[in-house]
Amino acid sequence: MVDTVNTDFLRKHVGYNARRAALSVISLFVERMAQYDLKVVDFSLLNLIAYNPGITSRQVCASLNILPPNLVSLVGNLDKRGLIVRRPHPLDGRAVGLYLTDAGQALNTQAEQTVTALELEATARLTAAERKTLIKLLQKVYD
């Protein structure tokens, strides 16, 4: 029987620590965003459209690192909820731009406030400078 679990090796690795931190934040996210019926990827898509009106599916897939077949259902769900609309792209007749409706914009604004609050709560043991540094360092890993 083990009294104390030794995680020394694991704690020296980025993947283990990043995953543990992500799980902490994501569990709060799931709990707090349930009121909006938004999953992580739904909010990411909504927010991406908010800051990039007219963004195409190809651009969304590249930005969120998701496959086109998965995006189809995500866009469809937000469309059914009246949060986004699709319009022909002004320069590329084959592409469709995604835009938030007024309801989508309102939901995104509320959800952003919730995300900001839950992230501050999840990282309460960090100073503002440490939080900023952590974000920069994590971005260096995947950018």
Side-chain angles (χ1 to χ4, degrees), residues 9 16 21-22 36 39 43 50 53 60-61 65 74 77 79 104 110 119 127:
F9 179 82
Y16 177 80
Y36 307 119
K39 295 180 178 114
F43 172 71
V60 169
C61 288
N65 195 27
L74 294 170
N77 289 337
D79 187 24
Q110 290 176 318
E119 288 230 344
T127 66

Side-chain angles (χ1 to χ4, degrees), residues 12-123:
K12 294 176 189 172
H13 291 84
V14 173
Y16 177 80
N17 288 290
R19 180 73 174 150
R20 293 288 308 265
L23 288 171
S24 295
V25 175
I26 290 169
S27 66
L28 264 181
F29 183 98
V30 168
E31 175 188 314
R32 304 283 167 78
M33 299 301 273
Q35 66 182 320
Y36 307 119
D37 192 25
L38 291 175
K39 295 180 178 114
V40 174
V41 70
D42 298 322
F43 172 71
S44 297
L45 176 56
L46 194 71
N47 194 261
L48 199 59
I49 297 168
Y51 288 95
N52 301 278
I55 192 168
T56 65
S57 295
R58 178 175 292 159
Q59 292 171 310
V60 169
C61 288
S63 297
L64 298 181
N65 195 27
I66 58 177
L67 298 172
N70 296 336
L71 182 63
V72 172
S73 65
L74 294 170
V75 168
N77 289 337
L78 293 181
D79 187 24
K80 284 178 193 168
R81 291 178 61 186
L83 301 174
I84 65 169
V85 293
R86 301 173 232 198
R87 296 186 194 137
H89 193 279
L91 304 175
D92 183 350
R94 298 168 294 152
V96 174
L98 302 172
Y99 300 84
L100 292 186
T101 62
D102 289 343
Q105 187 62 53
L107 180 60
N108 182 67
T109 299
Q110 290 176 318
E112 276 186 347
Q113 292 168 356
T114 301
V115 167
T116 299
L118 74 85
E119 288 230 344
L120 287 172
E121 182 179 332
T123 60

Side-chain angles (χ1 to χ4, degrees), residues 134-143:
L134 176 60
I135 291 169
K136 279 184 166 185
L137 292 172
L138 289 170
Q139 289 170 348
K140 281 182 130 179
V141 172
Y142 70 83
D143 273 345

